[in-house]
Amino acid sequence: MIFSVEMIYVLMGIIVLGCSLYIFTDRTNSRRLASGSFYLIYSVTLMFGKIIPPFYIGLMVIVMVLIIASGGLKKGEHVEESLAVKEERRKRLGGRLFLPAILIPILTLVGSKLLDGVKIGGKALLDPSNVTMVALGLACLTAIIVAMWMTRGTPTGAVKESRRLLESIGWAVLLPQLLATLGTIYTTAGVGTVVSDAVTAIIPEGSLFWIVVIFCLGMAIFTMIMGNAFAAFPIMAAGIAIPFLIKQFDANPNHIAAISMFAGYCGTLMTPMAANFNIVPAALLDLKDKNHVIKVQIPTALAVLVFNIILMYFLVSLGI
Protein backbone atom coordinates (compact mmCIF):
# COMPACT_ATOMS: atom_id res chain seq x y z
CA MET A 1 0.00 0.00 0.00
CA ILE A 2 1.08 3.62 -0.44
CA PHE A 3 -0.40 5.16 2.72
CA SER A 4 -0.60 2.76 5.66
CA VAL A 5 -1.96 3.01 9.19
CA GLU A 6 1.59 2.68 10.46
CA MET A 7 2.60 5.80 8.53
CA ILE A 8 -0.10 7.77 10.35
CA TYR A 9 1.15 6.57 13.73
CA VAL A 10 4.74 7.47 12.78
CA LEU A 11 3.61 10.94 11.70
CA MET A 12 1.82 11.43 15.03
CA GLY A 13 4.94 10.22 16.84
CA ILE A 14 7.16 12.71 15.03
CA ILE A 15 4.87 15.60 16.02
CA VAL A 16 4.79 14.45 19.66
CA LEU A 17 8.57 14.04 19.58
CA GLY A 18 8.92 17.66 18.47
CA CYS A 19 6.60 18.72 21.29
CA SER A 20 8.70 16.81 23.84
CA LEU A 21 11.88 18.57 22.70
CA TYR A 22 10.26 21.98 23.23
CA ILE A 23 9.13 20.87 26.70
CA PHE A 24 12.65 19.72 27.64
CA THR A 25 13.98 23.20 26.82
CA ASP A 26 11.19 25.13 28.58
CA ARG A 27 12.91 26.64 31.63
CA THR A 28 9.60 28.06 32.88
CA ASN A 29 8.44 24.50 33.58
CA SER A 30 9.85 23.23 36.88
CA ARG A 31 8.99 19.67 35.83
CA ARG A 32 10.29 19.93 32.29
CA LEU A 33 12.46 16.80 32.51
CA ALA A 34 9.62 14.60 33.78
CA SER A 35 7.05 16.18 31.45
CA GLY A 36 9.39 15.96 28.47
CA SER A 37 10.13 12.32 29.27
CA PHE A 38 6.41 11.55 29.38
CA TYR A 39 5.82 12.86 25.86
CA LEU A 40 9.12 11.42 24.60
CA ILE A 41 8.09 7.93 25.71
CA TYR A 42 4.66 8.46 24.20
CA SER A 43 6.23 9.44 20.86
CA VAL A 44 8.36 6.28 20.90
CA THR A 45 5.29 4.08 21.42
CA LEU A 46 3.62 5.78 18.45
CA MET A 47 6.59 5.59 16.09
CA PHE A 48 7.93 2.14 17.00
CA GLY A 49 4.96 0.39 18.61
CA LYS A 50 4.80 -2.15 15.80
CA ILE A 51 8.37 -3.37 16.23
CA ILE A 52 8.89 -3.00 19.99
CA PRO A 53 7.78 -6.14 21.89
CA PRO A 54 4.51 -5.65 23.84
CA PHE A 55 6.26 -6.33 27.17
CA TYR A 56 8.53 -3.31 26.75
CA ILE A 57 5.64 -1.14 25.55
CA GLY A 58 3.90 -2.13 28.78
CA LEU A 59 6.93 -1.05 30.80
CA MET A 60 6.91 2.31 29.02
CA VAL A 61 3.25 2.79 29.85
CA ILE A 62 3.96 2.00 33.51
CA VAL A 63 6.73 4.64 33.54
CA MET A 64 4.31 7.18 32.03
CA VAL A 65 1.70 6.35 34.68
CA LEU A 66 4.32 6.77 37.42
CA ILE A 67 5.24 10.19 36.04
CA ILE A 68 1.57 11.20 36.19
CA ALA A 69 1.05 9.74 39.67
CA SER A 70 4.12 11.53 41.06
CA GLY A 71 2.96 14.90 39.74
CA GLY A 72 5.70 15.05 37.14
CA LEU A 73 3.39 16.11 34.33
CA LYS A 74 3.08 19.89 34.41
CA LYS A 75 1.92 22.41 31.84
CA GLY A 76 4.49 25.00 30.83
CA GLU A 77 3.95 28.66 30.05
CA HIS A 78 3.12 29.66 26.51
CA VAL A 79 3.78 33.08 25.01
CA GLU A 80 0.69 33.99 23.04
CA GLU A 81 0.33 36.71 20.45
CA SER A 82 -1.26 39.98 21.51
CA LEU A 83 -4.97 40.57 21.13
CA ALA A 84 -4.22 43.20 18.48
CA VAL A 85 -2.39 40.65 16.30
CA LYS A 86 -5.16 38.09 16.76
CA GLU A 87 -7.80 40.67 15.88
CA GLU A 88 -5.89 41.72 12.75
CA ARG A 89 -5.71 38.07 11.60
CA ARG A 90 -9.38 37.53 12.37
CA LYS A 91 -10.38 40.48 10.22
CA ARG A 92 -8.03 39.47 7.41
CA LEU A 93 -9.08 35.82 7.29
CA GLY A 94 -12.73 36.13 8.31
CA GLY A 95 -14.78 32.98 7.79
CA ARG A 96 -11.83 31.27 6.11
CA LEU A 97 -10.51 30.56 9.60
CA PHE A 98 -12.89 27.61 9.77
CA LEU A 99 -11.65 26.08 6.50
CA PRO A 100 -8.95 23.78 8.02
CA ALA A 101 -11.40 22.41 10.59
CA ILE A 102 -14.09 21.86 7.97
CA LEU A 103 -11.63 20.12 5.63
CA ILE A 104 -10.95 17.32 8.13
CA PRO A 105 -14.41 15.65 8.10
CA ILE A 106 -14.95 16.39 4.40
CA LEU A 107 -11.65 14.89 3.26
CA THR A 108 -12.03 11.95 5.64
CA LEU A 109 -15.45 11.13 4.18
CA VAL A 110 -14.26 11.56 0.60
CA GLY A 111 -11.14 9.49 1.19
CA SER A 112 -12.89 6.64 3.02
CA LYS A 113 -15.71 6.38 0.46
CA LEU A 114 -14.16 7.27 -2.88
CA LEU A 115 -10.56 6.08 -2.43
CA ASP A 116 -11.35 2.72 -0.85
CA GLY A 117 -10.03 0.05 -3.20
CA VAL A 118 -8.19 2.51 -5.43
CA LYS A 119 -4.82 1.17 -6.60
CA ILE A 120 -1.83 2.90 -8.16
CA GLY A 121 0.79 0.73 -9.83
CA GLY A 122 -0.81 -2.36 -8.33
CA LYS A 123 -0.60 -0.96 -4.79
CA ALA A 124 -3.57 0.11 -2.68
CA LEU A 125 -3.63 3.88 -2.20
CA LEU A 126 -5.02 3.64 1.35
CA ASP A 127 -4.45 0.82 3.82
CA PRO A 128 -7.33 -1.68 3.26
CA SER A 129 -7.23 -2.71 6.94
CA ASN A 130 -8.41 0.74 8.08
CA VAL A 131 -9.21 3.08 5.22
CA THR A 132 -11.07 5.55 7.44
CA MET A 133 -8.19 6.07 9.87
CA VAL A 134 -5.68 6.63 7.08
CA ALA A 135 -8.08 9.05 5.38
CA LEU A 136 -8.49 10.90 8.70
CA GLY A 137 -4.72 11.14 9.18
CA LEU A 138 -4.16 12.48 5.67
CA ALA A 139 -7.08 14.91 6.13
CA CYS A 140 -5.48 16.26 9.32
CA LEU A 141 -2.13 16.65 7.56
CA THR A 142 -3.82 18.51 4.70
CA ALA A 143 -5.63 20.76 7.20
CA ILE A 144 -2.30 21.63 8.87
CA ILE A 145 -0.74 22.55 5.52
CA VAL A 146 -3.76 24.68 4.56
CA ALA A 147 -3.72 26.40 7.96
CA MET A 148 -0.01 27.25 7.58
CA TRP A 149 -0.64 28.60 4.08
CA MET A 150 -3.55 30.75 5.23
CA THR A 151 -1.82 32.16 8.30
CA ARG A 152 1.64 32.32 6.72
CA GLY A 153 2.81 30.05 9.48
CA THR A 154 5.70 27.59 9.62
CA PRO A 155 6.08 23.91 10.56
CA THR A 156 7.84 25.09 13.73
CA GLY A 157 4.81 27.17 14.65
CA ALA A 158 2.55 24.19 13.98
CA VAL A 159 4.58 22.01 16.35
CA LYS A 160 4.53 24.73 19.02
CA GLU A 161 0.74 24.97 18.78
CA SER A 162 0.54 21.17 18.89
CA ARG A 163 2.59 21.28 22.06
CA ARG A 164 0.24 23.84 23.62
CA LEU A 165 -2.80 21.67 22.86
CA LEU A 166 -1.01 18.49 23.94
CA GLU A 167 -0.11 20.01 27.30
CA SER A 168 -3.67 21.29 27.73
CA ILE A 169 -4.96 17.74 27.23
CA GLY A 170 -2.27 16.33 29.52
CA TRP A 171 -2.54 12.76 30.80
CA ALA A 172 -5.90 12.30 29.09
CA VAL A 173 -4.07 11.88 25.77
CA LEU A 174 -3.37 8.27 26.81
CA LEU A 175 -6.96 7.32 27.58
CA PRO A 176 -8.21 6.31 24.10
CA GLN A 177 -5.45 3.71 23.68
CA LEU A 178 -5.58 2.48 27.27
CA LEU A 179 -9.37 2.12 27.24
CA ALA A 180 -9.34 0.26 23.92
CA THR A 181 -6.85 -2.16 25.48
CA LEU A 182 -9.05 -2.49 28.56
CA GLY A 183 -12.02 -3.51 26.39
CA THR A 184 -9.93 -6.23 24.76
CA ILE A 185 -8.76 -7.48 28.16
CA TYR A 186 -12.34 -7.62 29.49
CA THR A 187 -13.55 -9.56 26.47
CA THR A 188 -10.63 -12.03 26.58
CA ALA A 189 -11.09 -12.52 30.32
CA GLY A 190 -14.69 -13.65 29.77
CA VAL A 191 -16.45 -10.76 31.49
CA GLY A 192 -19.33 -11.23 29.04
CA THR A 193 -19.86 -14.79 30.34
CA VAL A 194 -19.92 -13.51 33.92
CA VAL A 195 -22.53 -10.91 32.96
CA SER A 196 -24.63 -13.58 31.24
CA ASP A 197 -24.52 -15.86 34.30
CA ALA A 198 -25.48 -12.95 36.58
CA VAL A 199 -28.49 -12.07 34.41
CA THR A 200 -29.63 -15.70 34.36
CA ALA A 201 -29.43 -15.85 38.16
CA ILE A 202 -31.16 -12.53 38.86
CA ILE A 203 -33.71 -11.86 36.10
CA PRO A 204 -36.87 -14.02 35.97
CA GLU A 205 -36.91 -16.28 32.92
CA GLY A 206 -38.72 -14.72 29.98
CA SER A 207 -38.78 -11.20 31.47
CA LEU A 208 -38.06 -9.13 28.37
CA PHE A 209 -38.50 -5.77 30.08
CA TRP A 210 -35.90 -6.37 32.78
CA ILE A 211 -33.45 -7.92 30.34
CA VAL A 212 -33.68 -4.77 28.21
CA VAL A 213 -33.28 -2.56 31.29
CA ILE A 214 -30.20 -4.47 32.47
CA PHE A 215 -28.74 -4.52 28.97
CA CYS A 216 -29.09 -0.75 28.37
CA LEU A 217 -27.97 0.13 31.89
CA GLY A 218 -25.03 -2.24 31.49
CA MET A 219 -24.02 -0.53 28.25
CA ALA A 220 -24.12 2.86 29.97
CA ILE A 221 -22.26 1.68 33.08
CA PHE A 222 -19.53 -0.25 31.24
CA THR A 223 -19.07 2.77 28.96
CA MET A 224 -18.66 4.96 32.04
CA ILE A 225 -16.02 2.58 33.35
CA MET A 226 -14.11 2.21 30.08
CA GLY A 227 -14.94 5.58 28.54
CA ASN A 228 -15.81 3.98 25.22
CA ALA A 229 -19.10 2.45 24.05
CA PHE A 230 -17.26 0.46 21.39
CA ALA A 231 -15.25 -1.28 24.11
CA ALA A 232 -18.38 -1.95 26.18
CA PHE A 233 -20.42 -3.40 23.30
CA PRO A 234 -18.59 -6.74 22.83
CA ILE A 235 -18.97 -7.49 26.54
CA MET A 236 -22.68 -6.71 26.72
CA ALA A 237 -23.38 -8.30 23.35
CA ALA A 238 -21.75 -11.57 24.42
CA GLY A 239 -23.34 -11.46 27.86
CA ILE A 240 -26.92 -10.35 27.14
CA ALA A 241 -27.73 -9.30 23.56
CA ILE A 242 -26.87 -12.54 21.76
CA PRO A 243 -27.97 -15.21 24.28
CA PHE A 244 -31.13 -13.45 25.47
CA LEU A 245 -32.43 -10.71 23.16
CA ILE A 246 -31.43 -12.23 19.81
CA LYS A 247 -31.60 -15.99 20.45
CA GLN A 248 -34.40 -16.09 23.03
CA PHE A 249 -36.62 -13.23 21.83
CA ASP A 250 -35.59 -13.21 18.14
CA ALA A 251 -34.76 -9.48 18.24
CA ASN A 252 -33.45 -7.70 15.15
CA PRO A 253 -29.63 -7.60 15.55
CA ASN A 254 -29.38 -4.30 13.66
CA HIS A 255 -31.85 -2.60 15.97
CA ILE A 256 -30.17 -4.02 19.07
CA ALA A 257 -26.71 -2.91 17.93
CA ALA A 258 -27.82 0.62 17.08
CA ILE A 259 -29.88 1.27 20.23
CA SER A 260 -27.32 -0.33 22.53
CA MET A 261 -24.64 2.01 21.19
CA PHE A 262 -26.95 4.97 21.85
CA ALA A 263 -27.38 3.68 25.40
CA GLY A 264 -23.61 3.46 25.70
CA TYR A 265 -23.24 7.03 24.48
CA CYS A 266 -25.43 8.10 27.40
CA GLY A 267 -22.69 6.72 29.64
CA THR A 268 -20.13 8.66 27.62
CA LEU A 269 -21.87 11.89 28.60
CA MET A 270 -21.58 11.07 32.31
CA THR A 271 -17.97 9.96 32.79
CA PRO A 272 -14.56 11.63 33.02
CA MET A 273 -13.14 8.49 31.41
CA ALA A 274 -14.48 9.78 28.08
CA ALA A 275 -11.75 12.38 28.21
CA ASN A 276 -12.01 13.50 24.58
CA PHE A 277 -15.62 14.55 25.12
CA ASN A 278 -15.71 15.74 28.72
CA ILE A 279 -12.28 16.51 30.16
CA VAL A 280 -10.43 17.94 27.17
CA PRO A 281 -13.08 20.62 26.40
CA ALA A 282 -13.01 21.72 30.06
CA ALA A 283 -9.22 21.94 29.93
CA LEU A 284 -9.14 23.84 26.64
CA LEU A 285 -11.77 26.31 27.89
CA ASP A 286 -9.93 26.74 31.22
CA LEU A 287 -13.05 25.93 33.24
CA LYS A 288 -12.51 26.06 36.99
CA ASP A 289 -14.72 23.00 37.49
CA LYS A 290 -13.22 20.26 35.30
CA ASN A 291 -16.43 18.22 35.68
CA HIS A 292 -18.72 21.07 34.64
CA VAL A 293 -19.32 19.59 31.17
CA ILE A 294 -20.38 16.27 32.73
CA LYS A 295 -22.72 17.92 35.24
CA VAL A 296 -24.51 19.81 32.47
CA GLN A 297 -24.91 16.66 30.36
CA ILE A 298 -26.23 14.29 33.05
CA PRO A 299 -29.96 15.23 32.82
CA THR A 300 -29.94 14.84 29.03
CA ALA A 301 -28.03 11.55 29.26
CA LEU A 302 -30.50 10.04 31.74
CA ALA A 303 -33.52 11.16 29.68
CA VAL A 304 -32.07 9.69 26.47
CA LEU A 305 -31.15 6.46 28.29
CA VAL A 306 -34.76 6.01 29.47
CA PHE A 307 -35.98 6.65 25.92
CA ASN A 308 -33.56 4.02 24.54
CA ILE A 309 -34.83 1.45 27.06
CA ILE A 310 -38.45 2.10 26.13
CA LEU A 311 -37.69 2.10 22.39
CA MET A 312 -35.77 -1.19 22.53
CA TYR A 313 -38.46 -2.87 24.65
CA PHE A 314 -41.28 -1.98 22.29
CA LEU A 315 -39.33 -2.87 19.13
CA VAL A 316 -38.43 -6.31 20.51
CA SER A 317 -41.86 -7.01 22.04
CA LEU A 318 -43.61 -6.05 18.78
CA GLY A 319 -41.17 -8.15 16.73
CA ILE A 320 -40.07 -5.21 14.61
Side-chain angles (χ1 to χ4, degrees):
M1 67 204 75
I2 298 176
F3 296 106
S4 65
V5 172
E6 197 59 32
M7 290 175 62
I8 301 302
Y9 279 118
V10 171
L11 177 61
M12 292 167 57
I14 291 173
I15 294 175
V16 176
L17 175 62
C19 296
S20 72
L21 296 179
Y22 276 115
I23 295 172
F24 275 125
T25 57
D26 181 8
R27 297 191 177 277
T28 65
N29 188 344
S30 60
R31 299 294 181 90
R32 64 181 181 276
L33 294 181
S35 297
S37 298
F38 176 88
Y39 292 109
L40 175 62
I41 295 172
Y42 185 44
S43 70
V44 171
T45 64
L46 291 171
M47 290 188 291
F48 305 110
K50 190 173 183 179
I51 59 177
I52 297 177
F55 175 78
Y56 296 105
I57 292 291
L59 292 179
M60 291 181 187
V61 172
I62 291 174
V63 172
M64 295 172 74
V65 171
L66 290 176
I67 291 175
I68 297 171
S70 62
L73 194 61
K74 183 179 179 182
K75 182 180 178 181
E77 295 182 9
H78 300 275
V79 179
E80 295 190 16
E81 294 174 328
S82 65
L83 291 176
V85 173
K86 291 182 179 180
E87 182 64 18
E88 184 276 328
R89 284 187 176 179
R90 185 191 66 80
K91 290 180 178 179
R92 176 168 58 86
L93 296 173
R96 288 182 295 160
L97 278 170
F98 297 99
L99 179 60
I102 294 173
L103 279 176
I104 294 175
I106 293 176
L107 293 179
T108 301
L109 180 62
V110 171
S112 60
K113 296 299 181 183
L114 300 184
L115 300 182
D116 186 11
V118 173
K119 294 185 177 181
I120 298 179
K123 295 182 178 180
L125 179 61
L126 304 183
D127 194 336
S129 66
N130 200 330
V131 174
T132 302
M133 183 173 176
V134 177
L136 174 60
L138 295 176
C140 291
L141 179 60
T142 303
I144 291 174
I145 295 172
V146 171
M148 288 192 297
W149 171 73
M150 289 174 53
T151 61
R152 301 166 191 167
T154 63
T156 301
V159 174
K160 287 182 177 179
E161 278 301 299
S162 297
R163 174 211 168 182
R164 182 181 65 81
L165 289 174
L166 197 61
E167 286 193 295
S168 295
I169 296 172
W171 59 268
V173 71
L174 289 180
L175 277 180
Q177 290 161 289
L178 293 180
L179 294 174
T181 304
L182 182 61
T184 303
I185 293 173
Y186 275 24
T187 303
T188 305
V191 176
T193 303
V194 175
V195 172
S196 179
D197 293 341
V199 171
T200 302
I202 297 173
I203 303 299
E205 186 176 355
S207 179
L208 173 61
F209 176 76
W210 287 111
I211 289 176
V212 169
V213 170
I214 295 298
F215 177 58
C216 290
L217 286 177
M219 276 297 302
I221 293 171
F222 270 99
T223 299
M224 292 176 69
I225 294 173
M226 295 186 283
N228 191 328
F230 290 96
F233 180 74
I235 299 171
M236 297 307 297
I240 299 179
I242 296 175
F244 295 103
L245 295 174
I246 295 176
K247 290 185 176 180
Q248 184 175 338
F249 292 100
D250 197 28
N252 187 316
N254 294 324
H255 293 168
I256 296 299
I259 300 174
S260 65
M261 290 301 292
F262 284 132
Y265 297 151
C266 294
T268 300
L269 297 175
M270 299 187 288
T271 177
M273 298 299 285
N276 291 351
F277 297 97
N278 301 328
I279 301 302
V280 172
L284 295 179
L285 295 173
D286 260 341
L287 299 180
K288 292 182 179 179
D289 183 359
K290 299 306 179 184
N291 293 314
H292 181 74
V293 174
I294 297 174
K295 293 175 181 178
V296 172
Q297 293 173 163
I298 286 177
T300 301
L302 292 175
V304 175
L305 180 59
V306 170
F307 175 80
N308 285 326
I309 291 173
I310 295 173
L311 177 62
M312 182 179 291
Y313 172 71
F314 277 107
L315 287 178
V316 177
S317 61
L318 295 176
I320 299 176

